Amino acid sequence: MVYLVQNKEDLDQQLADAGEKLIVIDFYANWCGPCKIIAPKLEELALQYADRAVVLKVNVDENEDITVEYNITSMPTFVFIKNGEVLEIFVGGNSDKLAKSMEKYVGGTDVPPEQLQTVSSSPSESGASSSGVCELRSHAEAECEPAMDGEGVLEN
């Protein structure tokens, strides 16, 4: 399950409660197309690694203090933390890279593949690599590079 962080105190509590589990923080914005495209894959991975990973989502517009603390300038940005140490940070809506990074830090799956429900059939899950990014400036100046599927179709 993906947990939506409410504020800095909430994030600190979630980090403390995670213990030795891998923590994945997804910095996103509601207006960010690539963030919306990769969200179903993140949900699927959160379920798949539920016993060994905690997946948190931080809305950059509602949690500016956390966004500044982690020096986030583009979305989606994924921060991988274990035992208080940042292991990896990557920017962009690349579902293959997200899955490989989670696999690298937690190992095999907790849920048998036949029990995983397919959350979405978005282009990012079809094997096409989407690396769309939204730059964080202001609402009026928000700029995104589109994440496209193999057929050049933009999804919102």
Side-chain angles (χ1 to χ4, degrees):
M1 181 172 96
V2 174
Y3 179 83
L4 182 61
V5 172
Q6 301 301 311
N7 54 43
K8 174 72 170 112
E9 294 75 29
D10 189 20
L11 175 64
D12 291 343
Q13 187 63 54
Q14 293 301 317
L15 294 174
D17 291 348
E20 294 187 12
K21 289 182 179 181
L22 173 69
I23 300 162
V24 181
I25 306 175
D26 171 19
F27 288 89
Y28 77 100
N30 292 332
W31 46 264
C32 173
C35 298
K36 293 176 184 177
I37 291 171
I38 201 164
K41 183 63 175 181
L42 185 64
E43 291 275 353
E44 178 184 315
L45 291 167
L47 174 63
Q48 184 175 346
Y49 296 113
D51 290 342
R52 287 177 274 164
V54 174
V55 179
L56 308 174
K57 289 181 73 84
V58 174
N59 184 319
V60 298
D61 294 320
E62 296 173 4
N63 296 285
E64 204 170 307
D65 52 342
I66 301 170
T67 303
V68 170
E69 178 183 344
Y70 283 87
N71 197 28
I72 304 303
T73 58
S74 302
M75 287 81 54
T77 294
F78 297 94
V79 179
F80 294 80
I81 301 170
K82 193 163 190 178
N83 298 321
E85 179 183 343
V86 174
L87 304 173
E88 180 180 349
I89 298 173
F90 81 82
V91 178
N94 185 327
S95 62
D96 291 337
K97 183 169 182 165
L98 178 61
K100 286 177 183 166
S101 292
M102 286 194 74
E103 173 71 24
K104 177 167 67 171
Y105 297 119
V106 299
T109 64
D110 292 330
V111 179
E114 63 274 5
Q115 290 183 4
L116 287 176
Q117 65 180 26
T118 301
V119 181
S120 170
S121 58
S122 72
S124 60
E125 296 175 310
S126 66
S129 173
S130 22
S131 57
V133 174
C134 293
E135 296 297 321
L136 181 60
R137 294 183 188 145
S138 71
H139 288 294
E141 299 177 23
E143 181 180 302
C144 295
E145 294 177 15
M148 296 195 173
D149 69 9
E151 300 169 3
V153 176
L154 178 63
E155 293 245 347
N156 277 336

